[in-house]
Amino acid sequence: MCHIPVAGHALLGVADAGGSIELLRLVGSENAYTLQPVSSFALEKQCLALSLDWSTGKTERASDQPLKIISSDSKGQLHLLKVNEAGPALQEVATWHAHHFEAWIAAFNYWQTEIVYSGGDDALLKGWDTRTPGTSVFTSERHSMGVCSIQSSPHRENILATGSYDEHVLLWDTRSMKQPFADMPTQGGVWRLKWHPFHHHLLLAACMHSGFKIFNCQKAIEKQEACTVSVSHTLPSSLVYGADWSWLYFGNLSQTHQPCCLEAFPYGNVGAKASQLYSLKAVHQSPAACSHHLAEDEEECHSKLESGSGPKTPLHPLTEDMMKSGGWCRAAGHKGWDCDLSLEAASLDIDLLATCSFYDHVLHLWKWESS
């Protein structure tokens, strides 16, 4: 999801198995929202598009900075695309060979968007300067298996997180890529990493058969000490391949009406109690289908909570009463996305995150409560 509006709409990028990058925009009507295809770009014949990242990972973007996408494919190539925001339409800037096998992941340095990183099934982590594509800035062999997740921190310059099938998350200082400054075992291959949109020290990891974990990286970043696991959920019947935080804030908001701003959002420690809101299961799947039909999964959830504090909590559907007693606020920092509630006065007691899992084809929505 692009974190800024494009031509007045929220824009979603999709890397698909047909080898294309597709852009869809969110269009609202009186009663519903729909995703409408607006542009598509074929990367290469007989390949799978494996990842994409937007150049807008930070909360602010210079007015003269073009909107870009970096993508990777199953042939080991990287593709740099420019988004014509008026269209919006995709235009190829550069394509180059990066890895001997599948290039599982490609990601921007959000602080220097000319720099991108890639990870491949050849167990290599590489850095690239897109002004001279095809020549790597560095190559790291620190991971012992395929590198399949990378994300630059949107909060702290020079912080990079990487994950691999070797069941480790590594934290790097991009000014010195010889050795990571933190190494976190995960007991599962790390397929996706996402920094929290507000709390600079929280890192969410999708760890395949080990479920998902939330790492508290504050001490590691500030003092280069070990990271701690705040929450770990295991889904025994499936593999967690995707995970992300919600950019909508949910909590008890005061009635003080002020423009909410991301800079005023306090960075506090959060607790370790999580419960599930919904499970959504794909009931119809077709490679040619333009949409996926989702229905609430009626099966009992067997998620296991492994955390340092707090008892198990029951499943809580997101009800109208919850909406009335709390409030939603979109992440600010972008023109056109402000809300009229103050995050400064918010009670930071709830975070929302989503995970998706293999085999059972389920999207889980989780509520994490502060302790």
PDB file of all heavy atoms in Angstrom, residues 212 214 229-233 245 270-276 305-314 316 349-353 366-371:
ATOM      1  N   PHE A 212       3.809 -15.688  14.053  1.00  0.00           N
ATOM      2  CA  PHE A 212       4.345 -14.334  13.953  1.00  0.00           C
ATOM      3  C   PHE A 212       4.874 -13.886  15.297  1.00  0.00           C
ATOM      4  O   PHE A 212       4.445 -14.344  16.349  1.00  0.00           O
ATOM      5  CB  PHE A 212       3.290 -13.346  13.419  1.00  0.00           C
ATOM      6  CG  PHE A 212       2.185 -12.990  14.374  1.00  0.00           C
ATOM      7  CD1 PHE A 212       2.325 -11.939  15.272  1.00  0.00           C
ATOM      8  CD2 PHE A 212       0.991 -13.689  14.366  1.00  0.00           C
ATOM      9  CE1 PHE A 212       1.301 -11.597  16.144  1.00  0.00           C
ATOM     10  CE2 PHE A 212      -0.045 -13.350  15.228  1.00  0.00           C
ATOM     11  CZ  PHE A 212       0.118 -12.309  16.126  1.00  0.00           C
ATOM     12  N   ILE A 214       6.514 -10.271  17.517  1.00  0.00           N
ATOM     13  CA  ILE A 214       6.761  -8.839  17.606  1.00  0.00           C
ATOM     14  C   ILE A 214       8.012  -8.656  18.457  1.00  0.00           C
ATOM     15  O   ILE A 214       8.052  -9.044  19.630  1.00  0.00           O
ATOM     16  CB  ILE A 214       5.574  -8.090  18.232  1.00  0.00           C
ATOM     17  CG1 ILE A 214       4.311  -8.273  17.376  1.00  0.00           C
ATOM     18  CG2 ILE A 214       5.897  -6.602  18.378  1.00  0.00           C
ATOM     19  CD1 ILE A 214       3.050  -7.710  18.001  1.00  0.00           C
ATOM     20  N   VAL A 229      11.398 -10.496  22.667  1.00  0.00           N
ATOM     21  CA  VAL A 229      10.162 -10.856  21.989  1.00  0.00           C
ATOM     22  C   VAL A 229       8.999 -10.409  22.857  1.00  0.00           C
ATOM     23  O   VAL A 229       8.824 -10.891  23.978  1.00  0.00           O
ATOM     24  CB  VAL A 229      10.078 -12.370  21.727  1.00  0.00           C
ATOM     25  CG1 VAL A 229       8.754 -12.730  21.069  1.00  0.00           C
ATOM     26  CG2 VAL A 229      11.248 -12.819  20.856  1.00  0.00           C
ATOM     27  N   SER A 230       8.195  -9.469  22.365  1.00  0.00           N
ATOM     28  CA  SER A 230       7.046  -8.982  23.116  1.00  0.00           C
ATOM     29  C   SER A 230       5.859  -9.922  22.990  1.00  0.00           C
ATOM     30  O   SER A 230       5.133 -10.153  23.959  1.00  0.00           O
ATOM     31  CB  SER A 230       6.647  -7.580  22.631  1.00  0.00           C
ATOM     32  OG  SER A 230       7.661  -6.646  22.914  1.00  0.00           O
ATOM     33  N   VAL A 231       5.636 -10.439  21.789  1.00  0.00           N
ATOM     34  CA  VAL A 231       4.517 -11.348  21.544  1.00  0.00           C
ATOM     35  C   VAL A 231       4.945 -12.385  20.521  1.00  0.00           C
ATOM     36  O   VAL A 231       5.672 -12.075  19.574  1.00  0.00           O
ATOM     37  CB  VAL A 231       3.279 -10.590  21.019  1.00  0.00           C
ATOM     38  CG1 VAL A 231       2.220 -11.555  20.502  1.00  0.00           C
ATOM     39  CG2 VAL A 231       2.670  -9.729  22.112  1.00  0.00           C
ATOM     40  N   SER A 232       4.497 -13.621  20.723  1.00  0.00           N
ATOM     41  CA  SER A 232       4.708 -14.682  19.741  1.00  0.00           C
ATOM     42  C   SER A 232       3.448 -15.520  19.649  1.00  0.00           C
ATOM     43  O   SER A 232       2.975 -16.049  20.656  1.00  0.00           O
ATOM     44  CB  SER A 232       5.895 -15.565  20.151  1.00  0.00           C
ATOM     45  OG  SER A 232       6.080 -16.613  19.214  1.00  0.00           O
ATOM     46  N   HIS A 233       2.870 -15.608  18.459  1.00  0.00           N
ATOM     47  CA  HIS A 233       1.688 -16.430  18.218  1.00  0.00           C
ATOM     48  C   HIS A 233       2.043 -17.523  17.226  1.00  0.00           C
ATOM     49  O   HIS A 233       2.666 -17.255  16.195  1.00  0.00           O
ATOM     50  CB  HIS A 233       0.559 -15.602  17.613  1.00  0.00           C
ATOM     51  CG  HIS A 233      -0.343 -14.978  18.630  1.00  0.00           C
ATOM     52  ND1 HIS A 233      -1.443 -15.615  19.158  1.00  0.00           N
ATOM     53  CD2 HIS A 233      -0.313 -13.774  19.215  1.00  0.00           C
ATOM     54  CE1 HIS A 233      -2.046 -14.816  20.022  1.00  0.00           C
ATOM     55  NE2 HIS A 233      -1.386 -13.694  20.063  1.00  0.00           N
ATOM     56  N   TRP A 245       1.178  -4.127   9.993  1.00  0.00           N
ATOM     57  CA  TRP A 245       0.466  -3.309  10.949  1.00  0.00           C
ATOM     58  C   TRP A 245      -0.623  -2.516  10.244  1.00  0.00           C
ATOM     59  O   TRP A 245      -0.501  -2.174   9.076  1.00  0.00           O
ATOM     60  CB  TRP A 245       1.417  -2.316  11.610  1.00  0.00           C
ATOM     61  CG  TRP A 245       2.559  -2.910  12.348  1.00  0.00           C
ATOM     62  CD1 TRP A 245       3.835  -3.067  11.885  1.00  0.00           C
ATOM     63  CD2 TRP A 245       2.558  -3.408  13.685  1.00  0.00           C
ATOM     64  NE1 TRP A 245       4.629  -3.637  12.850  1.00  0.00           N
ATOM     65  CE2 TRP A 245       3.873  -3.851  13.964  1.00  0.00           C
ATOM     66  CE3 TRP A 245       1.577  -3.519  14.672  1.00  0.00           C
ATOM     67  CZ2 TRP A 245       4.226  -4.402  15.201  1.00  0.00           C
ATOM     68  CZ3 TRP A 245       1.929  -4.058  15.898  1.00  0.00           C
ATOM     69  CH2 TRP A 245       3.233  -4.494  16.159  1.00  0.00           C
ATOM     70  N   VAL A 270       4.855  -0.918  24.850  1.00  0.00           N
ATOM     71  CA  VAL A 270       3.544  -1.555  24.820  1.00  0.00           C
ATOM     72  C   VAL A 270       3.677  -2.951  25.379  1.00  0.00           C
ATOM     73  O   VAL A 270       4.757  -3.507  25.451  1.00  0.00           O
ATOM     74  CB  VAL A 270       2.979  -1.589  23.388  1.00  0.00           C
ATOM     75  CG1 VAL A 270       2.581  -0.204  22.956  1.00  0.00           C
ATOM     76  CG2 VAL A 270       3.962  -2.173  22.414  1.00  0.00           C
ATOM     77  N   GLY A 271       2.554  -3.505  25.769  1.00  0.00           N
ATOM     78  CA  GLY A 271       2.581  -4.781  26.463  1.00  0.00           C
ATOM     79  C   GLY A 271       2.528  -5.966  25.548  1.00  0.00           C
ATOM     80  O   GLY A 271       2.865  -5.890  24.386  1.00  0.00           O
ATOM     81  N   ALA A 272       2.062  -7.075  26.075  1.00  0.00           N
ATOM     82  CA  ALA A 272       2.183  -8.333  25.359  1.00  0.00           C
ATOM     83  C   ALA A 272       0.928  -9.169  25.451  1.00  0.00           C
ATOM     84  O   ALA A 272       0.972 -10.347  25.741  1.00  0.00           O
ATOM     85  CB  ALA A 272       3.374  -9.114  25.907  1.00  0.00           C
ATOM     86  N   LYS A 273      -0.206  -8.540  25.202  1.00  0.00           N
ATOM     87  CA  LYS A 273      -1.460  -9.298  25.239  1.00  0.00           C
ATOM     88  C   LYS A 273      -2.146  -9.139  23.889  1.00  0.00           C
ATOM     89  O   LYS A 273      -2.422  -8.034  23.440  1.00  0.00           O
ATOM     90  CB  LYS A 273      -2.360  -8.794  26.366  1.00  0.00           C
ATOM     91  CG  LYS A 273      -3.617  -9.634  26.546  1.00  0.00           C
ATOM     92  CD  LYS A 273      -4.343  -9.285  27.826  1.00  0.00           C
ATOM     93  CE  LYS A 273      -4.932  -7.904  27.799  1.00  0.00           C
ATOM     94  NZ  LYS A 273      -5.800  -7.646  28.970  1.00  0.00           N
ATOM     95  N   ALA A 274      -2.407 -10.222  23.228  1.00  0.00           N
ATOM     96  CA  ALA A 274      -3.008 -10.146  21.901  1.00  0.00           C
ATOM     97  C   ALA A 274      -4.215 -11.057  21.817  1.00  0.00           C
ATOM     98  O   ALA A 274      -4.270 -12.108  22.441  1.00  0.00           O
ATOM     99  CB  ALA A 274      -1.987 -10.552  20.833  1.00  0.00           C
ATOM    100  N   SER A 275      -5.210 -10.630  21.060  1.00  0.00           N
ATOM    101  CA  SER A 275      -6.365 -11.479  20.815  1.00  0.00           C
ATOM    102  C   SER A 275      -6.810 -11.292  19.379  1.00  0.00           C
ATOM    103  O   SER A 275      -6.466 -10.315  18.736  1.00  0.00           O
ATOM    104  CB  SER A 275      -7.505 -11.135  21.778  1.00  0.00           C
ATOM    105  OG  SER A 275      -7.920  -9.795  21.606  1.00  0.00           O
ATOM    106  N   GLN A 276      -7.555 -12.249  18.889  1.00  0.00           N
ATOM    107  CA  GLN A 276      -7.951 -12.239  17.489  1.00  0.00           C
ATOM    108  C   GLN A 276      -9.313 -11.579  17.320  1.00  0.00           C
ATOM    109  O   GLN A 276     -10.227 -11.800  18.101  1.00  0.00           O
ATOM    110  CB  GLN A 276      -7.997 -13.673  16.950  1.00  0.00           C
ATOM    111  CG  GLN A 276      -8.143 -13.737  15.445  1.00  0.00           C
ATOM    112  CD  GLN A 276      -8.035 -15.145  14.934  1.00  0.00           C
ATOM    113  OE1 GLN A 276      -7.932 -16.073  15.717  1.00  0.00           O
ATOM    114  NE2 GLN A 276      -8.039 -15.306  13.643  1.00  0.00           N
ATOM    115  N   LEU A 305      -0.929 -18.477  22.270  1.00  0.00           N
ATOM    116  CA  LEU A 305      -0.286 -17.253  22.705  1.00  0.00           C
ATOM    117  C   LEU A 305       0.926 -17.603  23.558  1.00  0.00           C
ATOM    118  O   LEU A 305       0.825 -18.333  24.523  1.00  0.00           O
ATOM    119  CB  LEU A 305      -1.264 -16.393  23.518  1.00  0.00           C
ATOM    120  CG  LEU A 305      -0.691 -15.148  24.202  1.00  0.00           C
ATOM    121  CD1 LEU A 305      -0.143 -14.198  23.147  1.00  0.00           C
ATOM    122  CD2 LEU A 305      -1.745 -14.477  25.043  1.00  0.00           C
ATOM    123  N   GLU A 306       2.085 -17.071  23.140  1.00  0.00           N
ATOM    124  CA  GLU A 306       3.295 -17.268  23.915  1.00  0.00           C
ATOM    125  C   GLU A 306       3.827 -15.877  24.232  1.00  0.00           C
ATOM    126  O   GLU A 306       4.443 -15.240  23.401  1.00  0.00           O
ATOM    127  CB  GLU A 306       4.332 -18.055  23.115  1.00  0.00           C
ATOM    128  CG  GLU A 306       3.839 -19.421  22.667  1.00  0.00           C
ATOM    129  CD  GLU A 306       4.756 -20.047  21.634  1.00  0.00           C
ATOM    130  OE1 GLU A 306       5.771 -19.423  21.314  1.00  0.00           O
ATOM    131  OE2 GLU A 306       4.448 -21.136  21.169  1.00  0.00           O
ATOM    132  N   SER A 307       3.594 -15.398  25.420  1.00  0.00           N
ATOM    133  CA  SER A 307       4.040 -14.054  25.762  1.00  0.00           C
ATOM    134  C   SER A 307       4.463 -14.012  27.210  1.00  0.00           C
ATOM    135  O   SER A 307       4.183 -14.907  27.995  1.00  0.00           O
ATOM    136  CB  SER A 307       2.928 -13.041  25.491  1.00  0.00           C
ATOM    137  OG  SER A 307       1.811 -13.332  26.300  1.00  0.00           O
ATOM    138  N   GLY A 308       5.140 -12.927  27.541  1.00  0.00           N
ATOM    139  CA  GLY A 308       5.675 -12.817  28.877  1.00  0.00           C
ATOM    140  C   GLY A 308       4.661 -12.436  29.919  1.00  0.00           C
ATOM    141  O   GLY A 308       4.866 -12.654  31.107  1.00  0.00           O
ATOM    142  N   SER A 309       3.545 -11.813  29.531  1.00  0.00           N
ATOM    143  CA  SER A 309       2.560 -11.385  30.508  1.00  0.00           C
ATOM    144  C   SER A 309       1.181 -11.419  29.893  1.00  0.00           C
ATOM    145  O   SER A 309       1.022 -11.386  28.695  1.00  0.00           O
ATOM    146  CB  SER A 309       2.877  -9.969  30.988  1.00  0.00           C
ATOM    147  OG  SER A 309       2.757  -9.046  29.930  1.00  0.00           O
ATOM    148  N   GLY A 310       0.185 -11.460  30.742  1.00  0.00           N
ATOM    149  CA  GLY A 310      -1.199 -11.383  30.284  1.00  0.00           C
ATOM    150  C   GLY A 310      -1.765 -12.747  29.956  1.00  0.00           C
ATOM    151  O   GLY A 310      -1.119 -13.582  29.322  1.00  0.00           O
ATOM    152  N   PRO A 311      -2.976 -13.018  30.377  1.00  0.00           N
ATOM    153  CA  PRO A 311      -3.612 -14.299  30.081  1.00  0.00           C
ATOM    154  C   PRO A 311      -4.120 -14.331  28.655  1.00  0.00           C
ATOM    155  O   PRO A 311      -4.126 -13.322  27.960  1.00  0.00           O
ATOM    156  CB  PRO A 311      -4.785 -14.322  31.065  1.00  0.00           C
ATOM    157  CG  PRO A 311      -5.131 -12.862  31.233  1.00  0.00           C
ATOM    158  CD  PRO A 311      -3.832 -12.120  31.144  1.00  0.00           C
ATOM    159  N   LYS A 312      -4.568 -15.499  28.253  1.00  0.00           N
ATOM    160  CA  LYS A 312      -5.230 -15.593  26.953  1.00  0.00           C
ATOM    161  C   LYS A 312      -6.492 -14.738  26.965  1.00  0.00           C
ATOM    162  O   LYS A 312      -7.194 -14.663  27.955  1.00  0.00           O
ATOM    163  CB  LYS A 312      -5.613 -17.042  26.655  1.00  0.00           C
ATOM    164  CG  LYS A 312      -4.465 -17.894  26.151  1.00  0.00           C
ATOM    165  CD  LYS A 312      -5.002 -19.215  25.648  1.00  0.00           C
ATOM    166  CE  LYS A 312      -3.889 -20.072  25.076  1.00  0.00           C
ATOM    167  NZ  LYS A 312      -4.401 -21.330  24.524  1.00  0.00           N
ATOM    168  N   THR A 313      -6.759 -14.116  25.835  1.00  0.00           N
ATOM    169  CA  THR A 313      -7.964 -13.308  25.741  1.00  0.00           C
ATOM    170  C   THR A 313      -8.874 -13.939  24.711  1.00  0.00           C
ATOM    171  O   THR A 313      -8.420 -14.532  23.738  1.00  0.00           O
ATOM    172  CB  THR A 313      -7.618 -11.877  25.318  1.00  0.00           C
ATOM    173  OG1 THR A 313      -6.840 -11.926  24.132  1.00  0.00           O
ATOM    174  CG2 THR A 313      -6.835 -11.158  26.391  1.00  0.00           C
ATOM    175  N   PRO A 314     -10.208 -13.810  24.884  1.00  0.00           N
ATOM    176  CA  PRO A 314     -11.139 -14.422  23.939  1.00  0.00           C
ATOM    177  C   PRO A 314     -11.158 -13.673  22.628  1.00  0.00           C
ATOM    178  O   PRO A 314     -10.616 -12.582  22.498  1.00  0.00           O
ATOM    179  CB  PRO A 314     -12.478 -14.304  24.670  1.00  0.00           C
ATOM    180  CG  PRO A 314     -12.317 -13.108  25.556  1.00  0.00           C
ATOM    181  CD  PRO A 314     -10.876 -13.131  25.986  1.00  0.00           C
ATOM    182  N   HIS A 316     -12.599 -11.312  19.913  1.00  0.00           N
ATOM    183  CA  HIS A 316     -13.458 -10.137  20.005  1.00  0.00           C
ATOM    184  C   HIS A 316     -13.767  -9.629  18.606  1.00  0.00           C
ATOM    185  O   HIS A 316     -12.893  -9.052  17.954  1.00  0.00           O
ATOM    186  CB  HIS A 316     -12.780  -9.023  20.800  1.00  0.00           C
ATOM    187  CG  HIS A 316     -12.521  -9.377  22.224  1.00  0.00           C
ATOM    188  ND1 HIS A 316     -13.528  -9.672  23.120  1.00  0.00           N
ATOM    189  CD2 HIS A 316     -11.358  -9.492  22.915  1.00  0.00           C
ATOM    190  CE1 HIS A 316     -13.000  -9.937  24.310  1.00  0.00           C
ATOM    191  NE2 HIS A 316     -11.692  -9.836  24.208  1.00  0.00           N
ATOM    192  N   ASP A 349      -3.711   2.137  23.823  1.00  0.00           N
ATOM    193  CA  ASP A 349      -3.924   0.835  24.438  1.00  0.00           C
ATOM    194  C   ASP A 349      -4.153  -0.271  23.436  1.00  0.00           C
ATOM    195  O   ASP A 349      -4.227  -1.428  23.808  1.00  0.00           O
ATOM    196  CB  ASP A 349      -5.095   0.894  25.422  1.00  0.00           C
ATOM    197  CG  ASP A 349      -6.384   1.391  24.767  1.00  0.00           C
ATOM    198  OD1 ASP A 349      -6.320   1.816  23.597  1.00  0.00           O
ATOM    199  OD2 ASP A 349      -7.424   1.358  25.425  1.00  0.00           O
ATOM    200  N   ILE A 350      -4.291   0.044  22.151  1.00  0.00           N
ATOM    201  CA  ILE A 350      -4.638  -0.981  21.177  1.00  0.00           C
ATOM    202  C   ILE A 350      -3.857  -0.767  19.883  1.00  0.00           C
ATOM    203  O   ILE A 350      -3.729   0.351  19.409  1.00  0.00           O
ATOM    204  CB  ILE A 350      -6.148  -0.984  20.869  1.00  0.00           C
ATOM    205  CG1 ILE A 350      -6.937  -1.415  22.113  1.00  0.00           C
ATOM    206  CG2 ILE A 350      -6.489  -1.903  19.714  1.00  0.00           C
ATOM    207  CD1 ILE A 350      -8.427  -1.372  21.931  1.00  0.00           C
ATOM    208  N   ASP A 351      -3.333  -1.853  19.347  1.00  0.00           N
ATOM    209  CA  ASP A 351      -2.776  -1.861  18.009  1.00  0.00           C
ATOM    210  C   ASP A 351      -3.483  -2.943  17.208  1.00  0.00           C
ATOM    211  O   ASP A 351      -3.885  -3.973  17.756  1.00  0.00           O
ATOM    212  CB  ASP A 351      -1.271  -2.171  18.035  1.00  0.00           C
ATOM    213  CG  ASP A 351      -0.447  -0.946  18.372  1.00  0.00           C
ATOM    214  OD1 ASP A 351      -0.471   0.004  17.564  1.00  0.00           O
ATOM    215  OD2 ASP A 351       0.219  -0.930  19.424  1.00  0.00           O
ATOM    216  N   LEU A 352      -3.617  -2.722  15.922  1.00  0.00           N
ATOM    217  CA  LEU A 352      -4.192  -3.714  15.026  1.00  0.00           C
ATOM    218  C   LEU A 352      -3.119  -4.203  14.067  1.00  0.00           C
ATOM    219  O   LEU A 352      -2.308  -3.416  13.573  1.00  0.00           O
ATOM    220  CB  LEU A 352      -5.352  -3.124  14.231  1.00  0.00           C
ATOM    221  CG  LEU A 352      -6.578  -2.667  15.023  1.00  0.00           C
ATOM    222  CD1 LEU A 352      -7.623  -2.098  14.070  1.00  0.00           C
ATOM    223  CD2 LEU A 352      -7.167  -3.822  15.824  1.00  0.00           C
ATOM    224  N   LEU A 353      -3.118  -5.498  13.820  1.00  0.00           N
ATOM    225  CA  LEU A 353      -2.216  -6.065  12.832  1.00  0.00           C
ATOM    226  C   LEU A 353      -2.916  -7.217  12.140  1.00  0.00           C
ATOM    227  O   LEU A 353      -3.901  -7.762  12.640  1.00  0.00           O
ATOM    228  CB  LEU A 353      -0.906  -6.531  13.469  1.00  0.00           C
ATOM    229  CG  LEU A 353      -0.996  -7.561  14.589  1.00  0.00           C
ATOM    230  CD1 LEU A 353      -0.209  -8.811  14.231  1.00  0.00           C
ATOM    231  CD2 LEU A 353      -0.464  -6.973  15.880  1.00  0.00           C
ATOM    232  N   TRP A 366      -5.754  -9.132  14.107  1.00  0.00           N
ATOM    233  CA  TRP A 366      -5.441  -9.260  15.516  1.00  0.00           C
ATOM    234  C   TRP A 366      -5.525  -7.907  16.208  1.00  0.00           C
ATOM    235  O   TRP A 366      -5.153  -6.883  15.642  1.00  0.00           O
ATOM    236  CB  TRP A 366      -4.017  -9.812  15.741  1.00  0.00           C
ATOM    237  CG  TRP A 366      -3.744 -11.094  15.050  1.00  0.00           C
ATOM    238  CD1 TRP A 366      -3.270 -11.273  13.773  1.00  0.00           C
ATOM    239  CD2 TRP A 366      -3.930 -12.407  15.581  1.00  0.00           C
ATOM    240  NE1 TRP A 366      -3.128 -12.608  13.497  1.00  0.00           N
ATOM    241  CE2 TRP A 366      -3.533 -13.321  14.580  1.00  0.00           C
ATOM    242  CE3 TRP A 366      -4.381 -12.888  16.815  1.00  0.00           C
ATOM    243  CZ2 TRP A 366      -3.575 -14.691  14.786  1.00  0.00           C
ATOM    244  CZ3 TRP A 366      -4.423 -14.251  17.011  1.00  0.00           C
ATOM    245  CH2 TRP A 366      -4.024 -15.146  16.001  1.00  0.00           C
ATOM    246  N   LYS A 367      -5.983  -7.916  17.463  1.00  0.00           N
ATOM    247  CA  LYS A 367      -5.958  -6.748  18.314  1.00  0.00           C
ATOM    248  C   LYS A 367      -4.928  -6.994  19.413  1.00  0.00           C
ATOM    249  O   LYS A 367      -4.988  -7.991  20.143  1.00  0.00           O
ATOM    250  CB  LYS A 367      -7.339  -6.523  18.942  1.00  0.00           C
ATOM    251  CG  LYS A 367      -7.394  -5.321  19.874  1.00  0.00           C
ATOM    252  CD  LYS A 367      -8.768  -5.181  20.528  1.00  0.00           C
ATOM    253  CE  LYS A 367      -9.017  -6.283  21.532  1.00  0.00           C
ATOM    254  NZ  LYS A 367     -10.281  -6.084  22.281  1.00  0.00           N
ATOM    255  N   TRP A 368      -3.975  -6.087  19.521  1.00  0.00           N
ATOM    256  CA  TRP A 368      -2.933  -6.202  20.543  1.00  0.00           C
ATOM    257  C   TRP A 368      -3.160  -5.111  21.573  1.00  0.00           C
ATOM    258  O   TRP A 368      -3.121  -3.921  21.247  1.00  0.00           O
ATOM    259  CB  TRP A 368      -1.558  -6.076  19.895  1.00  0.00           C
ATOM    260  CG  TRP A 368      -0.413  -6.214  20.863  1.00  0.00           C
ATOM    261  CD1 TRP A 368      -0.398  -6.886  22.036  1.00  0.00           C
ATOM    262  CD2 TRP A 368       0.901  -5.666  20.699  1.00  0.00           C
ATOM    263  NE1 TRP A 368       0.834  -6.810  22.645  1.00  0.00           N
ATOM    264  CE2 TRP A 368       1.640  -6.070  21.839  1.00  0.00           C
ATOM    265  CE3 TRP A 368       1.505  -4.899  19.736  1.00  0.00           C
ATOM    266  CZ2 TRP A 368       2.974  -5.701  22.009  1.00  0.00           C
ATOM    267  CZ3 TRP A 368       2.832  -4.533  19.897  1.00  0.00           C
ATOM    268  CH2 TRP A 368       3.559  -4.937  21.022  1.00  0.00           C
ATOM    269  N   GLU A 369      -3.389  -5.510  22.809  1.00  0.00           N
ATOM    270  CA  GLU A 369      -3.674  -4.555  23.877  1.00  0.00           C
ATOM    271  C   GLU A 369      -2.437  -4.292  24.713  1.00  0.00           C
ATOM    272  O   GLU A 369      -1.712  -5.211  25.084  1.00  0.00           O
ATOM    273  CB  GLU A 369      -4.801  -5.095  24.770  1.00  0.00           C
ATOM    274  CG  GLU A 369      -6.118  -5.268  24.031  1.00  0.00           C
ATOM    275  CD  GLU A 369      -7.214  -5.769  24.953  1.00  0.00           C
ATOM    276  OE1 GLU A 369      -6.903  -6.035  26.130  1.00  0.00           O
ATOM    277  OE2 GLU A 369      -8.352  -5.887  24.506  1.00  0.00           O
ATOM    278  N   SER A 370      -2.222  -3.029  25.023  1.00  0.00           N
ATOM    279  CA  SER A 370      -1.119  -2.662  25.904  1.00  0.00           C
ATOM    280  C   SER A 370      -1.379  -3.168  27.311  1.00  0.00           C
ATOM    281  O   SER A 370      -2.524  -3.248  27.741  1.00  0.00           O
ATOM    282  CB  SER A 370      -0.945  -1.158  25.944  1.00  0.00           C
ATOM    283  OG  SER A 370      -0.770  -0.630  24.655  1.00  0.00           O
ATOM    284  N   SER A 371      -0.317  -3.435  28.020  1.00  0.00           N
ATOM    285  CA  SER A 371      -0.465  -3.821  29.423  1.00  0.00           C
ATOM    286  C   SER A 371      -0.128  -2.619  30.295  1.00  0.00           C
ATOM    287  O   SER A 371       0.430  -1.654  29.841  1.00  0.00           O
ATOM    288  CB  SER A 371       0.469  -4.978  29.755  1.00  0.00           C
ATOM    289  OG  SER A 371       1.810  -4.617  29.536  1.00  0.00           O
TER     290      SER A 371
END
